[in-house]
């Protein structure tokens, strides 16, 4: 056991984060086969199984969980110490791993990242898209992007982008066949396009007016797993969609989509970058947070004057 070096633990930490040989191998720059051999060698040195593997899944054993709990904070301290040296350089360097829902990545994150990378060419960013809310710490991300109201209270959150608002839309042809709803409950009898999260949960459409909030479990002939795909389906006349205003304002202007129930569509606080409180924030993350805060202070057109989502 004394022959185990810190480098021997890197494959273990990568697989513990991803629970996927392919993604873990991509992170450390090797093949899944090489990663498997490295883990087998580590387990032989320890004389303990660290992962239970099947053809479909990878899971930590009790020994693996105990090892992860002890070594992960130590490696995080090493990363913090190395990142702290960035403060001695003229410009920060490093790599950021960000986790975002698909719609937030497209609408608010990518435009900011493009400007940030132009300002900080020595920093690289990886964006991983997952619609379900994830634990960014255990998954090895520096930060995540989600709506402010779903972020855990022990996280630090910084606004990114403008406020958002939902919109109920359909192609004109849909309302030639069906009546336009006057209240959210009437959607139950109309062909609505469902949105299913990766967890398997169907999204219940949210509404609010005059302080009254309600959610509606819609029915329809089509269910998709992506909000952009929902908008595309609406454009093709497949049914009624629940979207962000920013996603559909161009289609409204071109008369390709018609909006209903606008007075029931609330504004949301908008997307936020969130990250854990740490003694020493990585220099690349600190630069990105400062960049966002500076952008938030600059005058901009509010989405309240434009439009936004669920």
């Amino acid at each position: 056991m004394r022959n185990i070096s810190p480098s021997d633990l890197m494959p273990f930490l990568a697989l513990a984060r991803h629970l996927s040989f392919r993604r873990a191998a991509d992170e450390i720059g090797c093949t899944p086969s090489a990663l498997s051999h490295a883990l087998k060698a580590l387990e032989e040195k320890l004389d303990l199984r660290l992962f239970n593997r099947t053809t479909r899944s990878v899971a930590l054993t009790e020994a693996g969980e105990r090892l992860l709990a002890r070594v992960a904070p130590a490696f995080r301290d090493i990363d913090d110490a190395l990142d702290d040296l960035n403060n001695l350089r003229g410009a920060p360097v490093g790599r950021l791993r960000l986790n975002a829902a698909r719609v937030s990545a497209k609408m608010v994150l990518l435009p900011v990242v493009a400007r940030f990378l132009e300002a900080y060419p020595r920093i690289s960013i990886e964006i991983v898209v997952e619609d379900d809310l994830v634990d960014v710490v255990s998954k090895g991300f520096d930060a995540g992007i989600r709506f402010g109201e779903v972020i855990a209270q022990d996280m630090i959150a910084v606004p990114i982008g403008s406020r958002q608002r939902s919109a109920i839309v359909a192609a004109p042809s849909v309302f030639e066949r069906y009546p336009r709803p006057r209240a959210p409950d009437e959607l139950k009898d109309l062909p609505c396009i469902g949105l299913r999260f990766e967890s398997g949960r169907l999204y219940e459409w949210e509404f609010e007016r005059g302080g009254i909030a309600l959610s509606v479990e819609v029915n329809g002939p089509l269910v998709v797993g992506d909000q952009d795909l929902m908008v595309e389906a609406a454009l093709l006349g497949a049914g009624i969609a629940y979207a962000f205003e920013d996603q559909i304002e161009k289609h409204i202007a071109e008369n390709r989509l018609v909006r209903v129930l606008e007075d029931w569509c609330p504004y949301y606080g908008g997307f936020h970058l969130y990250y854990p409180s740490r003694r020493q924030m990585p220099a690349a993350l600190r630069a990105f947070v400062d960049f966002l805060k500076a952008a938030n202070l600059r005058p901009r057109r509010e989405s309240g004057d434009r439009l936004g989502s669920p």
Side-chain angles (χ1 to χ4, degrees):
M1 203 176 293
R2 281 176 291 186
N3 294 327
I4 296 174
S5 66
S7 61
D8 293 329
L9 295 171
M10 298 303 292
F12 164 74
L13 289 169
L15 186 57
R17 279 194 292 270
H18 296 287
L19 297 180
S20 162
F21 276 89
R22 180 182 57 78
R23 290 198 295 267
D26 287 343
E27 178 185 320
I28 62 178
C30 69
T31 64
S33 176
L35 175 65
S36 179
H37 285 302
L39 284 167
K40 184 178 180 181
L42 176 61
E43 288 176 327
E44 289 177 351
K45 288 181 181 180
L46 293 170
D47 195 23
L48 286 168
R49 178 179 289 275
L50 299 175
F51 294 93
N52 289 319
R53 311 162 174 82
T54 71
T55 56
R56 294 187 176 184
S57 66
V58 179
L60 284 163
T61 63
E62 181 183 357
E65 290 177 349
R66 292 179 67 176
L67 180 62
L68 180 65
R70 294 296 300 273
V71 303
F75 274 82
R76 207 150 42 230
D77 284 343
I78 293 171
D79 288 339
D80 286 345
L82 295 174
D83 279 319
D84 194 47
L85 295 178
N86 277 326
N87 296 326
L88 302 178
R89 296 188 177 98
V93 301
R95 177 171 171 262
L96 277 178
R97 295 188 74 240
L98 304 177
N99 183 284
R102 188 176 307 277
V103 68
S104 62
K106 180 178 179 180
M107 288 176 53
V108 300
L109 182 56
L110 277 178
V112 172
V113 164
R115 298 196 304 271
F116 176 77
L117 292 177
E118 185 176 354
Y120 294 92
R122 299 178 69 188
I123 293 177
S124 62
I125 293 180
E126 177 185 357
I127 299 172
V128 176
V129 171
E130 292 181 90
D131 286 331
D132 287 333
L133 189 64
V134 302
D135 183 342
V136 293
V137 176
S138 65
K139 294 293 186 179
F141 293 100
D142 294 290
I145 293 88
R146 293 295 189 279
F147 269 118
E149 56 261 34
V150 302
I151 297 172
Q153 292 185 350
D154 60 347
M155 292 286 171
I156 298 173
V158 179
I160 176 170
S162 303
R163 291 192 305 158
Q164 300 294 332
R165 189 185 182 199
S166 56
I168 311 300
V169 295
S173 60
V174 171
F175 294 125
E176 292 173 2
R177 305 192 306 269
Y178 298 93
R180 297 192 185 197
R182 294 166 296 177
D185 283 343
E186 295 179 11
L187 290 168
K188 295 178 180 179
D189 300 319
L190 297 174
C192 296
I193 303 168
L195 176 65
R196 191 181 298 279
F197 295 116
E198 293 175 4
S199 65
R201 181 175 67 89
L202 274 171
Y203 177 67
E204 292 186 1
W205 294 11
E206 298 172 86
F207 299 93
E208 183 179 337
R209 188 177 72 176
I212 299 174
L214 56 88
S215 59
V216 176
E217 184 177 345
V218 298
N219 299 300
L222 178 63
V223 176
V224 297
D226 180 276
Q227 203 167 17
D228 283 334
L229 191 60
M230 180 189 280
V231 173
E232 290 299 318
L235 288 167
L236 294 171
I240 302 171
Y242 189 109
F244 287 96
E245 281 187 337
D246 287 354
Q247 290 178 286
I248 52 86
E249 61 180 358
K250 180 180 73 171
H251 304 309
I252 294 289
E254 295 173 351
N255 297 316
R256 299 181 66 199
L257 291 175
V258 175
R259 187 170 185 179
V260 295
L261 299 175
E262 187 169 356
D263 56 337
W264 277 96
C265 293
Y267 286 99
Y268 297 84
F271 295 107
H272 287 67
L273 178 89
Y274 66 98
Y275 55 93
S277 176
R278 294 167 65 174
R279 291 194 310 275
Q280 297 168 310
M281 187 186 298
L285 179 58
R286 166 55 63 194
F288 192 61
V289 169
D290 289 344
F291 188 86
L292 286 180
K293 289 180 177 178
N296 290 338
L297 291 174
R298 288 195 292 269
R300 65 186 177 196
R301 188 172 56 165
E302 270 291 344
S303 71
D305 301 326
R306 303 175 57 191
L307 300 180
S309 157

